[in-house]
Amino acid sequence: MMYKIQTNATGTRSIDISDEHLQTIDEYQLFRDLIDSNGYVDEQVLDKLKLNTRAMLESEAGKDKRLLDLCLDVIYHANMKAFGLQQLVLLYINWKNSHNDNAEDTGE
């Protein structure tokens, strides 16, 4: 399934997000401890995410094509700004909640 997130306040820019992108975020727990207790997503948070994923790509774990695709398609996308990251985090939370609901419904 494909999702579209808005990456600026005026809605003129967006990025397509796939289930695989969201699964990769989940697998690598990329949002864990990323956002400070104030809850604000700013450019520093985006820079931190970029540094974290770059370090993963440079390590042995970085041999994962899905992580590289996530970086190229989403995290390092030219349109990705703090606003877009905030939208991505919200999408991820909704996606995660819906997948948890489905797992409970099927008894997994």
Side-chain angles (χ1 to χ4, degrees), residues 18-54:
S18 70
D19 270 328
E20 192 168 297
H21 291 139
L22 295 169
Q23 289 165 357
T24 304
I25 290 168
D26 191 45
E27 182 180 327
Y28 284 94
Q29 299 179 338
L30 295 179
F31 294 156
R32 173 175 276 169
D33 301 327
L34 183 68
I35 301 167
D36 293 333
S37 58
N38 64 21
Y40 291 118
V41 176
D42 57 16
E43 295 300 323
Q44 285 182 312
V45 174
L46 179 58
D47 290 343
K48 183 177 174 184
L49 177 62
K50 287 180 178 181
L51 290 173
N52 290 348
T53 54
R54 181 180 299 161

Side-chain angles (χ1 to χ4, degrees), residues 13 15 72 74-81:
R13 296 180 186 271
I15 299 175
L72 295 174
V74 180
I75 296 171
Y76 283 90
H77 191 286
N79 290 342
M80 181 54 82
K81 304 286 184 247

Side-chain angles (χ1 to χ4, degrees), residues 20 24 28 57 61-71:
E20 192 168 297
T24 304
Y28 284 94
L57 286 170
K63 304 293 185 257
D64 187 350
K65 182 184 178 327
R66 293 175 313 138
L67 182 61
L68 182 59
D69 288 345
L70 176 68
C71 287

Side-chain angles (χ1 to χ4, degrees), residues 5-14 79 81-84 87:
I5 59 166
Q6 192 174 312
T7 57
N8 65 357
T10 59
T12 57
R13 296 180 186 271
S14 63
N79 290 342
K81 304 286 184 247
F83 186 92
Q87 300 305 307

